[in-house]
Amino acid sequence: MRLLGAIRFDRDAFVWMDFNDRATGDGLVLVVVTQVLLMLGGGNSLLGLVGSLGAVIAGLLQALVFWLAYSGIAYAVAKFLFRGGGAYATYLRITGFAYPTLLLLLFTSRFISSGTLAFAAGSLWFLAIVAYGIHYISDLDLVKSGASAFGGIVGWVIISSIFSGGFII
């Protein structure tokens, strides 16, 4: 029910995430389940996933690293650039509960030929939920909260480009 509340931007869901430590574990479960569903939706069969356990572990590790890094970058932007409040653990919870909306990437990638545009369109709901959560947690206005959520994506793209050996220039 808390997932539906976060997806609907219900303030009570974000209040619960702020005060309930168990929400971090729930966010982790949502990230893992969503990543498995994304792998299945990407053309892998269930038996194919079982057969390629290394690929599954790599995909899950990538999702977990994204979850941790994105939350940290969004936290740093809100806290140090915009002087907002909140704790890193709460940002983790918000990001974990927003993560299932990335299932929209399966839809957008089918109908939008440009990979970058499909990623942008599929990530909008994710960014909106994170921005609303940051707005609640940090006492920032929605523009600064949205900039913090977007800054998390920009930071992730930069970090993943550096570690993958690609250059963004």
Side-chain angles (χ1 to χ4, degrees):
M1 293 305 286
R2 303 296 179 186
L3 173 62
L4 293 176
I7 289 172
R8 292 187 314 233
F9 302 99
D10 288 343
R11 186 175 186 277
D12 291 343
F14 296 100
V15 170
W16 177 79
M17 285 181 229
D18 191 15
F19 293 107
N20 192 339
D21 291 340
R22 191 188 78 196
T24 307
D26 293 349
L28 172 65
V29 169
L30 289 171
V31 169
V32 168
V33 169
T34 301
Q35 187 63 27
V36 169
L37 291 174
L38 284 169
M39 287 187 273
L40 288 172
N44 297 316
S45 69
L46 190 57
L47 292 176
L49 287 180
V50 172
S52 61
L53 193 60
V56 172
I57 291 172
L60 291 176
L61 282 175
Q62 181 182 1
L64 293 176
V65 169
F66 169 80
W67 179 49
L68 294 169
Y70 174 83
S71 300
I73 296 165
Y75 167 76
V77 171
K79 182 95 172 169
F80 301 114
L81 184 62
F82 296 125
R83 304 284 186 219
Y88 172 67
T90 310
Y91 284 74
L92 269 176
R93 296 171 195 148
I94 292 167
T95 303
F97 275 80
Y99 201 84
T101 60
L102 291 177
L103 287 170
L104 285 175
L105 292 170
L106 297 173
F107 177 78
T108 58
S109 66
R110 302 279 188 245
F111 293 103
I112 300 174
S113 59
S114 168
T116 304
L117 191 57
F119 175 76
S123 301
L124 285 177
W125 199 1
F126 170 81
L127 291 173
I129 292 171
V130 173
Y132 186 80
I134 291 173
H135 171 67
Y136 165 74
I137 296 301
S138 66
D139 292 328
L140 294 173
D141 61 43
L142 276 175
V143 173
K144 289 180 180 175
S145 298
S148 299
F150 185 73
I153 288 287
V154 170
W156 170 252
V157 168
I158 291 170
I159 288 173
S160 63
S161 294
I162 291 170
F163 285 117
S164 68
F167 296 100
I168 53 177
I169 296 176

